[in-house]
Amino acid sequence: YGNRFTNASLLSLKVILFALIIFCGVTNIYSQSGWISQRIGYDDFLSIHFPTGKDTGFIVSNYSTILKTTTGGFSWFSLNTGSTVIGDGFFTSSVLGAIWGIYPKLTTNGGITWDLMSIYVYAIGQSYFKAIAFLNNTTGYVIGGDFYPLPNPCCYDGIINKTTNAGLNWFEVYRHAAEIPQELVIRDSNHIIVLDHIALVSTTNGGINWTFDDRMFSDVRFFFASTMSNPFKDTIFIAGNIVGDTAAIIKSTDAGMSWNKSLRLPYHSGFKKIFFLNNNYGYAVGDTGLIVKTTNGGESWDVLNSGTRKRLNGVSFINKDTGFVVGDSGLVLTTLTGGLSGISQEYGNVPLDFTLHQNFPNPFNPITTIIFEISKS
């Protein structure tokens, strides 16, 4: 009917089409976002791991299931851990992985079988754990905190515990007041770095001695760290938020000696996970469907349209085009274009045409950011 369609009619057609898609229960493909959205079950997905950067990967949920792929993420199948509540997990290789929860488990055969680990660790009050990682079949670390006294805790310590017998027993190797450990990375039997919310905590002798380095807190005030890139490189990125829940990323180019802001977004959000494929390509994800990308080592960042408002908890890429993001309510986002929508064209310093990009966040927020390009310098 040509121009006889009114705006109201077009809106009604869109609503009907959207309702049919939801009713049919098909996978939603957001052509504008560059991400294929899929929901697998109802559990919240906490993290995603491709430990060798190739075909085998794992998604850790907050309940009893871990998803595994051997096809580079194009199909997933369930591994039943037998654990009722999972705090999170980490896979060191395609066969070695561990989860922490009500029933902590260790697998040495890619999730075919799981061995129960000890659930007892020393605590003054109520302990919790944030992350777990194993170096090999016997040696591993867990990080977390200890709230005390009870029933009205006023104080907390950051703690690191170690096992040398496949999790049958754990012993404390580090405790420091007012710390909130977030992540840990094990390079070898001697070198481990733990990200605290205001510092980096490291050992060079297998946990016998630890160094507390809070220079990032001094250089970038009011920054709360949540996640880090590989800390054993000269260039390190740490993502989190600045007081007021403003999502931010800081960067060090001298192995943590000094820090500067790499990104600060102008709206309420926070990062949950950062991932760098190489020195140039990096991604960070977080609250309200937030995904940002850099292709120049953090010199600049692009906010990508994820097509969702759900919290995103994990991100992993196997090459510069193919990557995955996981989030709450069984959400898995897949991209084959590096998160870009359709076929992108690189422009020179001055764009050829007027371009209006997708706003972020989506509607129903007090503030939104709209990026546009015009053919003028």
Side-chain angles (χ1 to χ4, degrees), residues 239-277:
N241 61 73
I242 292 176
V243 172
D245 289 332
T246 301
I249 297 174
I250 63 174
K251 176 182 179 180
S252 173
T253 57
D254 52 15
M257 297 290 291
S258 60
W259 296 87
N260 295 285
K261 290 190 186 76
S262 178
L263 171 70
R264 182 173 183 178
L265 296 177
Y267 37 78
H268 177 86
S269 192
F271 288 114
K272 300 297 182 185
K273 186 64 179 178
I274 193 169
F275 174 88
F276 266 77
L277 181 67

Side-chain angles (χ1 to χ4, degrees), residues 63-367:
Y63 192 54
S64 61
T65 301
I66 287 181
L67 300 181
K68 181 178 180 179
T69 181
T70 55
T71 60
F74 289 98
S75 62
W76 298 86
F77 57 92
S78 297
L79 303 174
N80 191 347
T81 64
S83 187
T84 54
V85 176
I86 298 175
D88 205 348
F90 186 82
F91 284 81
T92 305
S93 70
S94 59
V95 295
L96 178 62
I99 57 172
W100 188 266
I102 291 182
Y103 297 105
K105 300 285 185 72
L106 175 70
T107 181
T108 57
N109 54 19
I112 298 173
T113 58
W114 296 84
D115 297 320
L116 182 66
M117 294 189 290
S118 168
I119 60 174
Y120 174 77
V121 293
Y122 170 76
I124 299 173
Q126 181 66 49
S127 64
Y128 74 92
F129 289 93
K130 182 71 174 181
I132 185 170
F134 270 71
L135 172 66
N136 51 45
N137 290 5
T138 58
T139 302
Y141 294 82
V142 291
I143 61 173
D146 183 4
F147 287 94
Y148 59 89
L150 295 176
N152 297 310
C154 69
C155 310
Y156 59 92
D157 294 339
I159 54 176
I160 303 172
N161 287 274
K162 179 179 180 179
T163 181
T164 55
N165 58 4
L168 296 179
N169 305 101
W170 296 86
F171 54 95
E172 187 175 286
V173 293
Y174 179 81
R175 176 180 288 265
H176 195 281
E179 289 188 24
I180 309 176
Q182 303 291 312
E183 290 184 344
L184 78 156
V185 175
I186 305 173
R187 189 176 75 176
D188 52 45
S189 60
N190 288 319
H191 297 85
I192 301 100
I193 294 181
V194 173
L195 174 67
D196 176 61
H197 72 301
I198 59 170
L200 289 173
V201 181
S202 60
T203 180
T204 58
N205 54 17
I208 298 174
N209 304 106
W210 294 85
T211 300
F212 178 88
D213 183 355
D214 63 351
R215 277 176 288 200
M216 68 177 181
F217 186 71
S218 301
D219 293 345
V220 184
R221 297 296 305 274
F222 309 114
F223 180 72
F224 187 104
S226 298
T227 175
M228 63 181 170
S229 65
N230 186 346
F232 291 104
K233 292 185 174 183
D234 288 338
T235 299
I236 308 169
F237 293 86
I238 297 178
N241 61 73
I242 292 176
V243 172
D245 289 332
T246 301
I249 297 174
I250 63 174
K251 176 182 179 180
S252 173
T253 57
D254 52 15
M257 297 290 291
S258 60
W259 296 87
N260 295 285
K261 290 190 186 76
S262 178
L263 171 70
R264 182 173 183 178
L265 296 177
Y267 37 78
H268 177 86
S269 192
F271 288 114
K272 300 297 182 185
K273 186 64 179 178
I274 193 169
F275 174 88
F276 266 77
L277 181 67
N278 52 43
N279 291 335
N280 291 318
Y281 282 83
Y283 295 80
V285 302
D287 298 326
T288 62
L290 176 61
I291 304 178
V292 299
K293 174 184 179 179
T294 181
T295 59
N296 55 16
E299 292 301 315
S300 61
W301 295 82
D302 294 319
V303 178
L304 305 183
N305 179 16
S306 66
T308 182
R309 292 284 295 162
K310 292 186 182 298
R311 182 176 60 190
L312 304 177
N313 302 312
V315 55
S316 185
F317 273 69
I318 58 179
N319 56 53
K320 69 181 184 65
D321 296 319
T322 306
F324 308 88
V325 172
V326 296
D328 288 355
S329 304
L331 179 65
V332 179
L333 300 178
T334 304
T335 183
L336 304 176
T337 61
L340 301 177
S341 58
I343 299 174
S344 62
Q345 179 178 356
E346 293 185 2
Y347 296 100
N349 292 331
V350 178
L352 300 178
D353 299 300
F354 171 78
T355 304
L356 181 65
H357 294 270
Q358 176 68 39
N359 69 304
F360 188 91
N362 291 331
F364 311 111
N365 284 272
I367 297 175

